[in-house]
Amino acid sequence: MDPHRICASAWVIVVYLLRATRSSSGANCRCPKIPKKEFTLPDNGFFGINKTYRYRCIQGYVRKAGESSIIKCEGINGVCQWTRSQFKCIPHPKYKPQPTTTSSLGKKLLLFFYIIKKYHY
């Protein structure tokens, strides 16, 4: 048997095994949608293997101390999935929401509808 053929055949087998290992590790997959958490900003991006995502709380909320805001896309047995997270947004203790006010146009419309309702019946 020709030594070049043996070497070429061995190389083909090695390349095949490396590709099979890479495929089974989930290297070519994408994680599903980011798991939703209450009071966080939405994100609809796509993330591949080994990519991370950082949760962010909406205005008036902060990350609960001791909980990581980062999750990672991992390939396990050929399936991509997000790492588990106990992340939680809690109300900011010093946040005071701005009072809502009715605009002058809004006040005029309310008065208009009040008058119509009162004198229409």
Side-chain angles (χ1 to χ4, degrees):
M1 206 178 221
D2 183 20
H4 294 288
R5 279 188 164 199
I6 294 172
C7 198
S9 296
W11 185 248
V12 169
I13 291 171
V14 167
V15 169
Y16 175 78
L17 290 173
L18 287 174
R19 292 183 109 203
T21 302
R22 182 176 177 180
S23 296
S24 68
S25 70
N28 296 322
C29 66
R30 288 187 174 180
C31 269
K33 287 184 179 182
I34 295 165
K36 294 184 184 211
K37 298 283 185 175
E38 194 172 31
F39 308 117
T40 60
L41 296 171
D43 191 301
N44 296 323
F46 293 99
F47 296 84
I49 192 84
N50 294 325
K51 298 297 181 185
T52 58
Y53 174 76
R54 180 182 301 270
Y55 284 107
R56 294 179 300 150
C57 297
I58 61 173
Q59 184 178 10
Y61 289 82
V62 293
R63 176 180 60 87
K64 182 179 177 185
E67 304 296 342
S68 174
S69 62
I70 298 175
I71 56 175
K72 183 177 180 182
C73 180
E74 293 184 337
I76 300 173
N77 297 326
V79 177
C80 280
Q81 57 192 8
W82 291 105
T83 54
R84 293 184 186 255
S85 172
Q86 298 299 317
F87 175 80
K88 187 175 183 179
C89 291
I90 59 173
H92 192 292
K94 296 181 181 178
Y95 179 73
K96 302 240 192 284
Q98 297 295 323
T100 56
T101 58
T102 307
S103 68
S104 61
L105 176 61
K107 288 178 185 177
K108 289 176 185 175
L109 285 173
L110 286 173
L111 179 61
F112 174 76
F113 286 118
Y114 172 76
I115 293 171
I116 287 177
K117 185 176 179 181
K118 184 175 181 179
Y119 293 104
H120 185 264
Y121 295 106

